[in-house]
């Protein structure tokens, strides 16, 4: 998706991916350090899992919003470098 300013080509997307992973880790570690010194509760699992779930829903929402834009879900779109017309079946024999 080079040149589309979407996906990994977008600075905001890269920030969300890297920042989200670091954020989930930070919340989980902070919960362990602050609220669970003896390791007896499931609070870190719940907070880490909740943060990871919210992060993944944001990731899915981003791509769900990208699909209606032109060029992503276009069935007539050819890959870069491909011709306008598909080759004949005889091309498979060679």
């Amino acid at each position: 998706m080079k040149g589309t300013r979407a996906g990994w080509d977008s600075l905001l997307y890269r920030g969300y991916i890297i920042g989200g992973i670091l954020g989930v880790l930070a919340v989980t570690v902070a919960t362990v350090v602050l609220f669970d010194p003896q390791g007896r509760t499931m609070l870190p699992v719940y907070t880490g899992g909740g943060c990871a779930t919210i992060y993944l829903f944001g990731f899915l929402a981003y791509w769900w919003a990208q699909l209606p834009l032109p060029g992503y879900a276009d069935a007539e779109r050819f890959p870069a470098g491909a011709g306008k017309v598909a080759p004949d079946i005889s091309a498979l024999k060679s």
Side-chain angles (χ1 to χ4, degrees):
M1 288 178 253
K2 282 202 175 289
T4 60
R5 311 255 329 137
W8 197 250
D9 201 26
S10 169
L11 186 61
L12 286 174
Y13 182 76
R14 281 188 245 167
Y16 181 78
I17 295 295
I18 295 168
I21 291 170
L22 293 176
V24 169
L25 289 174
V27 166
T28 305
V29 169
T31 305
V32 168
V33 171
L34 295 175
F35 299 110
D36 189 22
Q38 276 83 34
R40 293 187 180 149
T41 65
M42 292 293 290
L43 186 62
V45 174
Y46 296 146
T47 57
C51 288
T53 301
I54 292 169
Y55 169 72
L56 289 176
F57 278 137
F59 181 74
L60 291 174
Y62 172 81
W63 284 109
W64 193 323
Q66 290 295 321
L67 281 177
L69 296 177
Y72 282 102
D74 188 10
E76 300 297 321
R77 183 176 176 206
F78 288 101
K84 294 286 182 188
V85 179
D88 294 327
I89 194 73
S90 63
L92 294 174
K93 294 180 183 178
S94 62

